[in-house]
Amino acid sequence: MRDLLAIPIILLAVVLQSSLVSRIPLLSGHADLPLVILAAWALQEGVDTAWHWAISAGLMVGFVSGIPILVPLAAYLLVVTLARLLQRRVWQAPLLAMFGITFLGTLFLHIVSLGALRLNGTALPILDTLGLLTLPSILLNMLLAIPVYAVMRDLARWMYPAPEFE
């Protein structure tokens, strides 16, 4: 049951990303709702389905976007890997870990996307791309990080309730 819940949540996130979130630009950058959701979900204690969520999100985003399918898949798997590593190390400051993962994940996704586009023949100036796309996207993702983390924390507590001691 827990594994199946990933599909509608990620599907809703991808639909919201392609219909609503992508229509709210800052300069030329856009927030990445699936990335932020994955980071928040993977940071929750007791969650063991983060890898399933990353693969589902990577495949869905790769399907609806114009970049090669391996780019979002690799970026989302890296986000979950970083979240799992930081969950063990920075467990007393989960919001700090959330900001760090959001920053690094967005940066990695944009750099790999830029590389994939350049390999496909789209010549984009690197400094302009970083200044007009990546930095505003990082800022928008950081703004989404706190409310998404709160929602994912509540969802994780509902799906993985703490054992009650008698």
Side-chain angles (χ1 to χ4, degrees):
M1 175 63 186
R2 294 175 182 161
D3 295 339
L4 294 177
L5 193 59
I7 295 170
I9 291 173
I10 294 297
L11 185 62
L12 178 66
V14 170
V15 167
L16 284 174
Q17 172 67 33
S18 60
S19 64
L20 182 68
V21 176
S22 65
R23 305 291 185 248
I24 305 170
L26 178 63
L27 294 177
S28 293
H30 302 280
D32 189 349
L33 185 60
L35 183 137
V36 177
I37 286 176
L38 281 175
W41 182 250
L43 280 173
Q44 304 305 317
E45 288 188 37
V47 169
D48 57 358
T49 59
W51 299 107
H52 305 109
W53 286 51
I55 292 169
S56 300
L59 293 175
M60 287 183 203
V61 169
F63 180 72
V64 300
S65 69
I67 57 177
I69 199 164
L70 290 177
V71 172
L73 189 61
Y76 293 162
L77 286 172
L78 176 80
V79 165
V80 170
T81 302
L82 287 173
R84 288 309 204 181
L85 289 173
L86 285 177
Q87 180 192 20
R88 293 186 196 119
R89 307 232 188 281
V90 193
W91 57 272
Q92 291 182 351
L95 282 178
L96 179 64
M98 180 69 184
F99 286 137
I101 292 165
T102 302
F103 177 81
L104 292 174
T106 306
L107 189 63
F108 180 77
L109 177 65
H110 280 253
I111 288 172
V112 173
S113 297
L114 177 63
L117 289 173
R118 290 183 72 93
L119 284 176
N120 286 337
T122 306
L124 296 172
I126 293 175
L127 292 178
D128 288 344
T129 303
L130 290 175
L132 295 174
L133 283 171
T134 303
L135 291 177
S137 295
I138 288 172
L139 178 63
L140 288 172
N141 284 346
M142 295 285 194
L143 290 173
L144 278 177
I146 294 174
V148 167
Y149 182 82
V151 170
M152 289 291 111
R153 185 187 62 218
D154 290 344
L155 182 64
R157 287 181 181 167
W158 176 69
M159 286 180 61
Y160 298 96
E164 295 182 20
F165 298 103
E166 295 179 10

